[in-house]
Amino acid sequence: MKTNINRRRSLLLFAAATAIALGGCGRQDEAKPLVALEIDPRTTCDLDGMLLADYPGPKAQIHFVGVAAPMFFCDTVELFNTLLRPEQVRAIAGVFVQDMGKADWEQPRGHWIDAKTGIYVLGSKRHGSMGPTIASFAQEAEAQAFAKQWGGRVLRYAEIKPEMVDLSGGALHDSKM
C-alpha cells in the first residue's frame, strides 16, 4: 500500500513538473518580442527580386504568422500596396519600416520601427527604389521637417488609402529591372 502511494505521488510530481516545464516553454515563446530583420547585400524584394541594399529610400518588411522569414519590400509604396489589397488575408504578426529621420536616405540600414506607429510623408520630391515613395518616420517633427524641405503631405498609417499606393507609376514602368 505504501509503495502504491509513493508511486502515485511520484507520478503526480512528474506530471506536474512536466506540465510546468511545457507551460513555461510556451510562455517564453509568446513573450519573445517580434523584431525586424536587418537587410544584407543579398536581401531581395519579394515582389520584384531587386536587391534592397542597391537602392535609396525606405525599405519595409511584413512578418506573417507561422512564416519564419519576413516578406521584404524595396519600397514603402510596395508595402502599402500589398497590405491594402483586399486579397491580402494572411495573418500578420508585424510590419516594419525604416525611420528615415535616422537612416541614411541613399543607403538606409537599420532604424526599423513598427509601421503602425510611423508617420509618413506622401508626395515628396525624394524618390525611393521605385520612383516616388512614401517616406517613413518615427517622429512627427522629423516628418514635418522632411515635408517642409522636400514637399509632400504628412499622414498617419491609417490615413494611407489604396488609391495612394498604385504601383502603375513606379514598378510597372521601371525599364531598369
Side-chain angles (χ1 to χ4, degrees), residues 2 15 19 37-39 44-45 48 55 58 61 74 78 85 89 91-92 110 119 137 145 154-155 157 161 167 169 176:
K2 203 172 196 180
L37 297 183
E38 189 51 63
I39 60 173
T44 59
C45 177
D48 55 33
Y55 296 92
Q61 56 187 277
C74 59
E78 292 178 334
R85 280 201 248 151
V89 295
I92 295 174
I119 308 295
F137 296 89
V154 176
L155 300 167
Y157 180 87
K161 304 297 178 208
L167 292 179
K176 296 176 189 169

PDB file of all heavy atoms in Angstrom, residues 2 15 19 37-39 44-45 48 55 58 61 74 78 85 89 91-92 110 119 137 145 154-155 157 161 167 169 176:
ATOM      1  N   LYS A   2       1.934   1.244   0.848  1.00  0.00           N
ATOM      2  CA  LYS A   2       2.818   2.394   0.916  1.00  0.00           C
ATOM      3  C   LYS A   2       3.531   2.586  -0.422  1.00  0.00           C
ATOM      4  O   LYS A   2       3.767   3.702  -0.852  1.00  0.00           O
ATOM      5  CB  LYS A   2       3.825   2.172   2.051  1.00  0.00           C
ATOM      6  CG  LYS A   2       4.399   3.429   2.557  1.00  0.00           C
ATOM      7  CD  LYS A   2       5.212   3.147   3.792  1.00  0.00           C
ATOM      8  CE  LYS A   2       5.449   4.464   4.493  1.00  0.00           C
ATOM      9  NZ  LYS A   2       6.204   4.323   5.674  1.00  0.00           N
ATOM     10  N   ALA A  15       4.183  14.441 -13.453  1.00  0.00           N
ATOM     11  CA  ALA A  15       3.194  15.073 -14.328  1.00  0.00           C
ATOM     12  C   ALA A  15       3.144  16.577 -14.081  1.00  0.00           C
ATOM     13  O   ALA A  15       3.087  17.374 -15.024  1.00  0.00           O
ATOM     14  CB  ALA A  15       1.811  14.455 -14.120  1.00  0.00           C
ATOM     15  N   ALA A  19       4.131  19.439 -16.816  1.00  0.00           N
ATOM     16  CA  ALA A  19       3.178  20.491 -17.187  1.00  0.00           C
ATOM     17  C   ALA A  19       3.778  21.871 -16.983  1.00  0.00           C
ATOM     18  O   ALA A  19       3.634  22.761 -17.824  1.00  0.00           O
ATOM     19  CB  ALA A  19       1.895  20.336 -16.372  1.00  0.00           C
ATOM     20  N   LEU A  37      14.151  42.181 -39.095  1.00  0.00           N
ATOM     21  CA  LEU A  37      15.431  41.617 -39.503  1.00  0.00           C
ATOM     22  C   LEU A  37      16.162  42.642 -40.351  1.00  0.00           C
ATOM     23  O   LEU A  37      15.543  43.385 -41.123  1.00  0.00           O
ATOM     24  CB  LEU A  37      15.213  40.329 -40.308  1.00  0.00           C
ATOM     25  CG  LEU A  37      14.550  39.182 -39.553  1.00  0.00           C
ATOM     26  CD1 LEU A  37      14.465  37.946 -40.441  1.00  0.00           C
ATOM     27  CD2 LEU A  37      15.308  38.853 -38.272  1.00  0.00           C
ATOM     28  N   GLU A  38      17.463  42.674 -40.213  1.00  0.00           N
ATOM     29  CA  GLU A  38      18.254  43.620 -40.989  1.00  0.00           C
ATOM     30  C   GLU A  38      18.489  43.076 -42.389  1.00  0.00           C
ATOM     31  O   GLU A  38      18.595  41.861 -42.583  1.00  0.00           O
ATOM     32  CB  GLU A  38      19.595  43.897 -40.299  1.00  0.00           C
ATOM     33  CG  GLU A  38      20.383  45.031 -40.917  1.00  0.00           C
ATOM     34  CD  GLU A  38      19.544  46.299 -41.092  1.00  0.00           C
ATOM     35  OE1 GLU A  38      19.084  46.864 -40.091  1.00  0.00           O
ATOM     36  OE2 GLU A  38      19.335  46.704 -42.251  1.00  0.00           O
ATOM     37  N   ILE A  39      18.529  43.973 -43.353  1.00  0.00           N
ATOM     38  CA  ILE A  39      18.838  43.563 -44.723  1.00  0.00           C
ATOM     39  C   ILE A  39      20.344  43.393 -44.840  1.00  0.00           C
ATOM     40  O   ILE A  39      21.120  44.003 -44.104  1.00  0.00           O
ATOM     41  CB  ILE A  39      18.308  44.582 -45.762  1.00  0.00           C
ATOM     42  CG1 ILE A  39      18.927  45.953 -45.552  1.00  0.00           C
ATOM     43  CG2 ILE A  39      16.801  44.676 -45.694  1.00  0.00           C
ATOM     44  CD1 ILE A  39      18.584  46.966 -46.635  1.00  0.00           C
ATOM     45  N   THR A  44      16.624  40.403 -51.050  1.00  0.00           N
ATOM     46  CA  THR A  44      15.886  40.836 -52.242  1.00  0.00           C
ATOM     47  C   THR A  44      14.440  41.175 -51.903  1.00  0.00           C
ATOM     48  O   THR A  44      13.877  40.682 -50.926  1.00  0.00           O
ATOM     49  CB  THR A  44      15.884  39.745 -53.329  1.00  0.00           C
ATOM     50  OG1 THR A  44      15.285  38.561 -52.794  1.00  0.00           O
ATOM     51  CG2 THR A  44      17.281  39.447 -53.827  1.00  0.00           C
ATOM     52  N   CYS A  45      13.859  41.995 -52.750  1.00  0.00           N
ATOM     53  CA  CYS A  45      12.447  42.346 -52.640  1.00  0.00           C
ATOM     54  C   CYS A  45      11.628  41.141 -53.081  1.00  0.00           C
ATOM     55  O   CYS A  45      11.887  40.549 -54.134  1.00  0.00           O
ATOM     56  CB  CYS A  45      12.151  43.549 -53.534  1.00  0.00           C
ATOM     57  SG  CYS A  45      10.408  44.018 -53.559  1.00  0.00           S
ATOM     58  N   ASP A  48       9.744  41.902 -56.698  1.00  0.00           N
ATOM     59  CA  ASP A  48      10.416  42.059 -57.989  1.00  0.00           C
ATOM     60  C   ASP A  48      11.853  41.551 -58.027  1.00  0.00           C
ATOM     61  O   ASP A  48      12.506  41.653 -59.053  1.00  0.00           O
ATOM     62  CB  ASP A  48      10.366  43.520 -58.443  1.00  0.00           C
ATOM     63  CG  ASP A  48      10.924  44.471 -57.407  1.00  0.00           C
ATOM     64  OD1 ASP A  48      11.859  44.104 -56.670  1.00  0.00           O
ATOM     65  OD2 ASP A  48      10.408  45.601 -57.317  1.00  0.00           O
ATOM     66  N   TYR A  55      19.518  50.241 -53.511  1.00  0.00           N
ATOM     67  CA  TYR A  55      18.618  51.342 -53.849  1.00  0.00           C
ATOM     68  C   TYR A  55      18.354  52.263 -52.652  1.00  0.00           C
ATOM     69  O   TYR A  55      18.364  51.823 -51.512  1.00  0.00           O
ATOM     70  CB  TYR A  55      17.292  50.793 -54.389  1.00  0.00           C
ATOM     71  CG  TYR A  55      17.498  50.042 -55.668  1.00  0.00           C
ATOM     72  CD1 TYR A  55      17.711  48.674 -55.664  1.00  0.00           C
ATOM     73  CD2 TYR A  55      17.537  50.715 -56.882  1.00  0.00           C
ATOM     74  CE1 TYR A  55      17.936  47.980 -56.849  1.00  0.00           C
ATOM     75  CE2 TYR A  55      17.760  50.039 -58.068  1.00  0.00           C
ATOM     76  CZ  TYR A  55      17.964  48.667 -58.045  1.00  0.00           C
ATOM     77  OH  TYR A  55      18.207  47.993 -59.215  1.00  0.00           O
ATOM     78  N   PRO A  58      13.291  54.383 -48.068  1.00  0.00           N
ATOM     79  CA  PRO A  58      12.885  53.470 -47.004  1.00  0.00           C
ATOM     80  C   PRO A  58      12.497  52.085 -47.520  1.00  0.00           C
ATOM     81  O   PRO A  58      11.877  51.955 -48.566  1.00  0.00           O
ATOM     82  CB  PRO A  58      11.680  54.168 -46.379  1.00  0.00           C
ATOM     83  CG  PRO A  58      11.149  55.055 -47.456  1.00  0.00           C
ATOM     84  CD  PRO A  58      12.332  55.472 -48.263  1.00  0.00           C
ATOM     85  N   GLN A  61       9.209  45.513 -44.298  1.00  0.00           N
ATOM     86  CA  GLN A  61       9.080  44.059 -44.165  1.00  0.00           C
ATOM     87  C   GLN A  61       7.803  43.713 -43.417  1.00  0.00           C
ATOM     88  O   GLN A  61       7.382  44.425 -42.517  1.00  0.00           O
ATOM     89  CB  GLN A  61      10.300  43.450 -43.483  1.00  0.00           C
ATOM     90  CG  GLN A  61      10.638  44.018 -42.127  1.00  0.00           C
ATOM     91  CD  GLN A  61      11.945  43.495 -41.590  1.00  0.00           C
ATOM     92  OE1 GLN A  61      11.989  42.408 -41.021  1.00  0.00           O
ATOM     93  NE2 GLN A  61      13.015  44.270 -41.757  1.00  0.00           N
ATOM     94  N   CYS A  74      11.410  46.644 -51.320  1.00  0.00           N
ATOM     95  CA  CYS A  74      12.430  47.654 -51.590  1.00  0.00           C
ATOM     96  C   CYS A  74      11.852  49.056 -51.524  1.00  0.00           C
ATOM     97  O   CYS A  74      12.579  50.042 -51.676  1.00  0.00           O
ATOM     98  CB  CYS A  74      13.122  47.390 -52.927  1.00  0.00           C
ATOM     99  SG  CYS A  74      12.033  47.366 -54.355  1.00  0.00           S
ATOM    100  N   GLU A  78       5.283  49.719 -52.254  1.00  0.00           N
ATOM    101  CA  GLU A  78       5.007  48.288 -52.453  1.00  0.00           C
ATOM    102  C   GLU A  78       4.416  47.673 -51.192  1.00  0.00           C
ATOM    103  O   GLU A  78       3.492  46.862 -51.264  1.00  0.00           O
ATOM    104  CB  GLU A  78       6.288  47.545 -52.836  1.00  0.00           C
ATOM    105  CG  GLU A  78       6.819  47.893 -54.191  1.00  0.00           C
ATOM    106  CD  GLU A  78       8.114  47.172 -54.493  1.00  0.00           C
ATOM    107  OE1 GLU A  78       8.865  46.805 -53.565  1.00  0.00           O
ATOM    108  OE2 GLU A  78       8.374  46.968 -55.691  1.00  0.00           O
ATOM    109  N   ARG A  85      -4.437  45.626 -50.273  1.00  0.00           N
ATOM    110  CA  ARG A  85      -5.192  44.875 -51.279  1.00  0.00           C
ATOM    111  C   ARG A  85      -6.241  44.013 -50.595  1.00  0.00           C
ATOM    112  O   ARG A  85      -5.959  43.378 -49.586  1.00  0.00           O
ATOM    113  CB  ARG A  85      -4.248  43.975 -52.067  1.00  0.00           C
ATOM    114  CG  ARG A  85      -3.505  44.728 -53.128  1.00  0.00           C
ATOM    115  CD  ARG A  85      -3.021  43.764 -54.170  1.00  0.00           C
ATOM    116  NE  ARG A  85      -1.573  43.711 -54.082  1.00  0.00           N
ATOM    117  CZ  ARG A  85      -0.841  42.665 -54.395  1.00  0.00           C
ATOM    118  NH1 ARG A  85      -1.389  41.560 -54.798  1.00  0.00           N
ATOM    119  NH2 ARG A  85       0.448  42.698 -54.318  1.00  0.00           N
ATOM    120  N   VAL A  89      -5.105  38.358 -47.060  1.00  0.00           N
ATOM    121  CA  VAL A  89      -5.848  37.810 -45.927  1.00  0.00           C
ATOM    122  C   VAL A  89      -4.968  37.031 -44.955  1.00  0.00           C
ATOM    123  O   VAL A  89      -5.463  36.543 -43.950  1.00  0.00           O
ATOM    124  CB  VAL A  89      -7.019  36.903 -46.406  1.00  0.00           C
ATOM    125  CG1 VAL A  89      -8.058  37.721 -47.157  1.00  0.00           C
ATOM    126  CG2 VAL A  89      -6.507  35.754 -47.253  1.00  0.00           C
ATOM    127  N   ALA A  91      -2.606  36.207 -41.933  1.00  0.00           N
ATOM    128  CA  ALA A  91      -2.461  36.825 -40.613  1.00  0.00           C
ATOM    129  C   ALA A  91      -1.071  37.445 -40.486  1.00  0.00           C
ATOM    130  O   ALA A  91      -0.070  36.801 -40.784  1.00  0.00           O
ATOM    131  CB  ALA A  91      -2.673  35.781 -39.526  1.00  0.00           C
ATOM    132  N   ILE A  92      -1.050  38.681 -40.044  1.00  0.00           N
ATOM    133  CA  ILE A  92       0.204  39.428 -39.937  1.00  0.00           C
ATOM    134  C   ILE A  92       0.624  39.514 -38.483  1.00  0.00           C
ATOM    135  O   ILE A  92      -0.154  39.912 -37.617  1.00  0.00           O
ATOM    136  CB  ILE A  92       0.030  40.837 -40.535  1.00  0.00           C
ATOM    137  CG1 ILE A  92      -0.230  40.720 -42.037  1.00  0.00           C
ATOM    138  CG2 ILE A  92       1.252  41.710 -40.256  1.00  0.00           C
ATOM    139  CD1 ILE A  92      -0.566  42.027 -42.720  1.00  0.00           C
ATOM    140  N   GLY A 110      19.173  49.592 -40.948  1.00  0.00           N
ATOM    141  CA  GLY A 110      18.692  49.633 -39.572  1.00  0.00           C
ATOM    142  C   GLY A 110      17.567  50.631 -39.351  1.00  0.00           C
ATOM    143  O   GLY A 110      16.858  51.013 -40.279  1.00  0.00           O
ATOM    144  N   ILE A 119       4.929  57.757 -38.902  1.00  0.00           N
ATOM    145  CA  ILE A 119       4.372  58.966 -39.511  1.00  0.00           C
ATOM    146  C   ILE A 119       4.943  58.993 -40.929  1.00  0.00           C
ATOM    147  O   ILE A 119       6.143  58.757 -41.126  1.00  0.00           O
ATOM    148  CB  ILE A 119       4.793  60.233 -38.747  1.00  0.00           C
ATOM    149  CG1 ILE A 119       4.504  60.108 -37.251  1.00  0.00           C
ATOM    150  CG2 ILE A 119       4.149  61.472 -39.358  1.00  0.00           C
ATOM    151  CD1 ILE A 119       3.047  60.013 -36.898  1.00  0.00           C
ATOM    152  N   PHE A 137       8.733  57.793 -40.853  1.00  0.00           N
ATOM    153  CA  PHE A 137       9.415  58.425 -39.724  1.00  0.00           C
ATOM    154  C   PHE A 137       8.814  57.936 -38.406  1.00  0.00           C
ATOM    155  O   PHE A 137       7.630  57.622 -38.339  1.00  0.00           O
ATOM    156  CB  PHE A 137       9.269  59.954 -39.787  1.00  0.00           C
ATOM    157  CG  PHE A 137       9.922  60.553 -40.993  1.00  0.00           C
ATOM    158  CD1 PHE A 137       9.210  60.698 -42.178  1.00  0.00           C
ATOM    159  CD2 PHE A 137      11.243  60.958 -40.949  1.00  0.00           C
ATOM    160  CE1 PHE A 137       9.806  61.237 -43.306  1.00  0.00           C
ATOM    161  CE2 PHE A 137      11.846  61.505 -42.080  1.00  0.00           C
ATOM    162  CZ  PHE A 137      11.133  61.640 -43.255  1.00  0.00           C
ATOM    163  N   ALA A 145       9.482  68.275 -40.858  1.00  0.00           N
ATOM    164  CA  ALA A 145      10.689  68.928 -41.385  1.00  0.00           C
ATOM    165  C   ALA A 145      11.015  68.393 -42.778  1.00  0.00           C
ATOM    166  O   ALA A 145      11.387  69.160 -43.681  1.00  0.00           O
ATOM    167  CB  ALA A 145      11.865  68.712 -40.432  1.00  0.00           C
ATOM    168  N   VAL A 154       1.917  65.033 -44.753  1.00  0.00           N
ATOM    169  CA  VAL A 154       2.166  64.172 -43.593  1.00  0.00           C
ATOM    170  C   VAL A 154       0.890  63.401 -43.259  1.00  0.00           C
ATOM    171  O   VAL A 154      -0.190  63.984 -43.141  1.00  0.00           O
ATOM    172  CB  VAL A 154       2.647  65.005 -42.383  1.00  0.00           C
ATOM    173  CG1 VAL A 154       2.820  64.118 -41.151  1.00  0.00           C
ATOM    174  CG2 VAL A 154       3.952  65.724 -42.718  1.00  0.00           C
ATOM    175  N   LEU A 155       1.046  62.063 -43.125  1.00  0.00           N
ATOM    176  CA  LEU A 155      -0.088  61.176 -42.847  1.00  0.00           C
ATOM    177  C   LEU A 155       0.273  60.159 -41.763  1.00  0.00           C
ATOM    178  O   LEU A 155       1.438  59.812 -41.591  1.00  0.00           O
ATOM    179  CB  LEU A 155      -0.474  60.393 -44.107  1.00  0.00           C
ATOM    180  CG  LEU A 155      -0.892  61.188 -45.337  1.00  0.00           C
ATOM    181  CD1 LEU A 155      -0.937  60.293 -46.553  1.00  0.00           C
ATOM    182  CD2 LEU A 155      -2.249  61.828 -45.084  1.00  0.00           C
ATOM    183  N   TYR A 157      -0.468  56.139 -40.393  1.00  0.00           N
ATOM    184  CA  TYR A 157      -0.616  54.821 -41.012  1.00  0.00           C
ATOM    185  C   TYR A 157      -2.039  54.594 -41.533  1.00  0.00           C
ATOM    186  O   TYR A 157      -2.242  54.212 -42.681  1.00  0.00           O
ATOM    187  CB  TYR A 157      -0.236  53.762 -39.970  1.00  0.00           C
ATOM    188  CG  TYR A 157      -0.332  52.330 -40.428  1.00  0.00           C
ATOM    189  CD1 TYR A 157       0.732  51.714 -41.078  1.00  0.00           C
ATOM    190  CD2 TYR A 157      -1.474  51.566 -40.172  1.00  0.00           C
ATOM    191  CE1 TYR A 157       0.664  50.390 -41.474  1.00  0.00           C
ATOM    192  CE2 TYR A 157      -1.553  50.250 -40.569  1.00  0.00           C
ATOM    193  CZ  TYR A 157      -0.480  49.664 -41.218  1.00  0.00           C
ATOM    194  OH  TYR A 157      -0.563  48.357 -41.612  1.00  0.00           O
ATOM    195  N   LYS A 161      -4.438  55.225 -48.067  1.00  0.00           N
ATOM    196  CA  LYS A 161      -5.518  54.505 -48.749  1.00  0.00           C
ATOM    197  C   LYS A 161      -5.002  53.818 -50.014  1.00  0.00           C
ATOM    198  O   LYS A 161      -3.992  54.231 -50.587  1.00  0.00           O
ATOM    199  CB  LYS A 161      -6.655  55.477 -49.114  1.00  0.00           C
ATOM    200  CG  LYS A 161      -7.203  56.247 -47.926  1.00  0.00           C
ATOM    201  CD  LYS A 161      -7.822  55.323 -46.908  1.00  0.00           C
ATOM    202  CE  LYS A 161      -8.327  56.087 -45.691  1.00  0.00           C
ATOM    203  NZ  LYS A 161      -8.317  55.289 -44.493  1.00  0.00           N
ATOM    204  N   LEU A 167       0.839  50.997 -57.913  1.00  0.00           N
ATOM    205  CA  LEU A 167       2.179  50.682 -58.416  1.00  0.00           C
ATOM    206  C   LEU A 167       2.359  51.007 -59.906  1.00  0.00           C
ATOM    207  O   LEU A 167       3.463  50.918 -60.418  1.00  0.00           O
ATOM    208  CB  LEU A 167       2.500  49.203 -58.199  1.00  0.00           C
ATOM    209  CG  LEU A 167       2.668  48.776 -56.746  1.00  0.00           C
ATOM    210  CD1 LEU A 167       2.954  47.279 -56.663  1.00  0.00           C
ATOM    211  CD2 LEU A 167       3.755  49.574 -56.060  1.00  0.00           C
ATOM    212  N   GLY A 169       2.638  53.703 -61.372  1.00  0.00           N
ATOM    213  CA  GLY A 169       3.540  54.830 -61.598  1.00  0.00           C
ATOM    214  C   GLY A 169       4.985  54.472 -61.387  1.00  0.00           C
ATOM    215  O   GLY A 169       5.875  55.184 -61.800  1.00  0.00           O
ATOM    216  N   LYS A 176      14.585  49.603 -65.881  1.00  0.00           N
ATOM    217  CA  LYS A 176      15.915  49.203 -65.418  1.00  0.00           C
ATOM    218  C   LYS A 176      15.906  47.835 -64.759  1.00  0.00           C
ATOM    219  O   LYS A 176      16.934  47.321 -64.390  1.00  0.00           O
ATOM    220  CB  LYS A 176      16.462  50.240 -64.435  1.00  0.00           C
ATOM    221  CG  LYS A 176      16.675  51.584 -65.087  1.00  0.00           C
ATOM    222  CD  LYS A 176      17.119  52.595 -64.057  1.00  0.00           C
ATOM    223  CE  LYS A 176      17.107  53.982 -64.676  1.00  0.00           C
ATOM    224  NZ  LYS A 176      17.274  55.014 -63.691  1.00  0.00           N
TER     225      LYS A 176
END
